[in-house]
Amino acid sequence: MDKRNWKIVYTNYSGMEKKAVELVSKEMGALTLRDAGVYRIYVLPCESAKTASLDRNCVIIGLFDENEIIRKYVSREKIKENGYVVKVFDNPENTEFKLAIITANDPAALFYGATDFVDDYFAFAFPFHGSLMLPHELFSHPLKDYYNASAPAIKNRSVFTWGHPINDYKNYIENMARLKLNELVIWNDYPPINAEDIVSYAHEFGIKVIWGFAWGWSRDCAAFDFNTLEKLSEDIVKVYEERYENISGDGIYFQSFTEHNSEKIGDVLIAEAVTKLVNTVSGKLLQKYPDLLIQFGLHASSVKNHLDFIAKVDSRVEIKWEDCGSFPYWYDNWNKTDESFNDTLKFTESIVNLRDNGAVSVLFKGFMTLDWTGDRFVHQAGPYVMGVNSDKLTKNDRNLLKPIWKNYQTFWFEDGVSAHTVARKIYESGKNAGIGLAGQFAGGIWFPEALCAQILWECDKDYDEIIKKVLKRQNVEIV
């Protein structure tokens, strides 16, 4: 069967629907490049669903309500909330050919369906010769039948990162979307001057951008003067208005003086003081900007025994918890015991249920972090251009970080099931809590982040099924 007899039939070529069409076209084209060692250009025809006929193998991409062809072969009730359907089957109009349908009720989910098709279905459908997998012969044979109706178990799937290690913001955002992640929290000393471009590009892929900055937090929290809380609250509002009010974004994120292993700074209880600060500053900001999304990055290590104070945090503020116990809340699993993990699960349950109202998320770690030692880390000196670095610098960083990823990869091979257990606990709580990945992900789609992202998407599924799916993906970096 001629490889060229495939075409894409699309409903709409704009927004995330356009991104879905482009992704399928790019990945299908890439798989036809090599034929017996000969490289050639392959152009995949694309036709509008308004005029297309099903006269050959077709990939049909479109929203359910906008595509009559799709409604003939997919039932509305099969599409779950925020989910998609991918279906590959014999073409009813000509059984010599196949139809592949990718559909959803909203554009973001449609794009996620396209990622399922090119990353998970293709890996499932690749032909084999003995034990040798032959990806480039995929379209030399009739495709295998397939059906997957999928939807996110965790609705808010975020990434927390620092801005300056992002070398290529477009590639970074594209990789996030490929992993079905939908919120990016970026920490900077100063907002980048190309913030508008970053937010606009993220929105093209259905990703919210949250700008992070400090509320009375420094590298030496112990030096904090609690007598200055009122003055500090005024300064924080001023920083917001001078640096963030007039740039695009979907909210702000902050950390304060909770990154401690002790409960007090001097004779002041951190949980009590930080609650007072958060409520004071948030009250001032929300009085002037009632639609502002505020996220509170809270280190559990200093407040875990005084949750009665944290329960009083303004319900309009989302709390993003980190350092909540053993792996996956910490960078490695070497010190984890069954007892410590049971404590971690219990604490997770307590913080998810802490407030009757008010959004809550947790941050998983075990990913690439920054090197804070000696003079290797330098704070930003001022506003800068984020994520538009040279190819030489990008390549250098990738080569530097790649062997280090082997260490993090080991943690996730050994104990990714712990992340799955925690995520399922959160999912089964019914509280609609979010989960984020905290780390530095520039330079590719690395196995730890791919595995964790898929856990967030389908922690309602068995862990063995999830890890096998991720290991088969051609775009996942395994070092």
Side-chain angles (χ1 to χ4, degrees), residues 172-461:
Y172 194 104
I173 288 167
E174 290 166 10
N175 285 342
M176 278 188 63
R178 191 83 172 248
L179 295 176
K180 305 183 184 74
L181 298 167
N182 59 7
E183 180 184 273
L184 176 58
V185 181
I186 309 175
W187 182 274
N188 288 294
D189 295 316
Y190 299 88
I193 63 173
N194 59 335
E196 303 287 342
D197 296 333
I198 294 164
V199 173
S200 176
Y201 200 70
H203 285 178
E204 289 183 30
F205 286 89
I207 295 172
K208 296 185 296 183
V209 175
I210 312 295
W211 297 112
F213 64 103
W215 288 16
W217 179 91
S218 70
R219 297 181 72 182
D220 183 10
C221 293
F224 188 79
D225 182 359
F226 288 99
N227 295 316
T228 64
L229 285 183
E230 182 59 36
K231 173 67 165 55
L232 175 60
S233 68
E234 296 172 358
D235 292 343
I236 293 168
V237 173
K238 183 178 179 181
V239 169
Y240 170 76
E241 293 180 334
E242 290 180 349
R243 298 184 184 178
Y244 296 96
E245 179 187 359
N246 296 316
I247 64 173
S248 296
D250 302 289
I252 58 173
Y253 166 97
F254 70 92
Q255 291 182 8
S256 197
F257 41 80
T258 64
E259 195 169 4
H260 271 277
N261 291 321
S262 59
E263 298 179 347
K264 293 182 177 181
I265 297 177
D267 60 353
V268 177
L269 193 65
I270 292 174
E272 182 178 11
V274 79
T275 300
K276 179 180 178 181
L277 175 66
V278 172
N279 288 346
T280 300
V281 178
S282 299
K284 291 179 178 181
L285 284 171
L286 292 170
Q287 184 176 10
K288 299 179 71 173
Y289 313 100
D291 296 326
L292 178 63
L293 172 63
I294 302 176
Q295 296 181 343
F296 171 22
L298 175 58
H299 296 81
S301 52
S302 62
V303 304
K304 59 186 177 183
N305 296 319
H306 300 280
L307 296 183
D308 52 326
F309 288 106
I310 305 303
K312 299 174 184 177
V313 168
D314 192 318
S315 62
R316 297 170 293 178
V317 175
E318 177 182 348
I319 300 178
K320 281 189 179 294
W321 291 86
E322 59 180 299
D323 297 356
C324 298
S326 61
F327 188 88
Y329 291 117
W330 197 238
Y331 296 101
D332 63 61
N333 64 346
W334 291 336
N335 296 317
K336 185 178 80 68
T337 64
D338 290 342
E339 182 179 359
S340 67
F341 186 63
N342 287 335
D343 289 342
T344 296
L345 281 177
K346 290 177 183 177
F347 187 75
T348 298
E349 188 173 13
S350 68
I351 61 176
V352 167
N353 292 290
L354 183 62
R355 300 185 296 169
D356 292 333
N357 298 307
V360 61
S361 297
V362 301
L363 291 179
F364 286 176
K365 295 186 177 179
F367 307 102
M368 182 70 69
T369 186
L370 296 179
D371 186 349
W372 306 99
T373 58
D375 59 356
R376 298 188 188 192
F377 177 82
V378 179
H379 279 278
Q380 297 160 9
Y384 72 113
V385 178
M386 191 191 100
V388 189
N389 291 331
S390 70
D391 291 342
K392 184 177 181 180
L393 186 153
T394 301
K395 183 178 179 180
N396 178 77
D397 278 4
R398 176 179 168 79
N399 290 338
L400 176 69
L401 299 180
K402 189 171 183 178
I404 305 173
W405 271 109
K406 186 180 289 289
N407 197 40
Y408 294 97
Q409 177 178 283
T410 301
F411 304 150
W412 283 87
F413 269 123
E414 288 181 343
D415 210 19
V417 67
S418 292
H420 179 263
T421 302
V422 175
R424 177 169 280 189
K425 172 72 73 173
I426 292 171
Y427 166 72
E428 291 176 347
S429 74
K431 293 291 186 177
N432 196 27
I435 303 178
L437 293 68
Q440 179 191 161
F441 304 123
I445 294 178
W446 306 96
F447 171 77
E449 61 177 321
L451 176 59
C452 189
Q454 193 63 28
I455 286 172
L456 305 195
W457 182 266
E458 55 181 4
C459 57
D460 53 329
K461 303 286 181 62

Side-chain angles (χ1 to χ4, degrees), residues 71-102:
R71 292 196 297 273
K72 288 174 62 177
Y73 302 116
V74 176
S75 301
R76 181 187 300 275
E77 61 270 16
K78 298 296 184 180
I79 305 176
K80 303 173 184 178
E81 182 181 3
N82 300 314
Y84 59 81
V85 167
V86 177
K87 182 178 181 180
V88 182
F89 58 107
D90 289 339
N91 185 336
E93 297 187 15
N94 188 333
T95 54
E96 293 183 7
F97 302 118
K98 306 288 284 194
L99 292 186
I101 289 177
I102 305 170

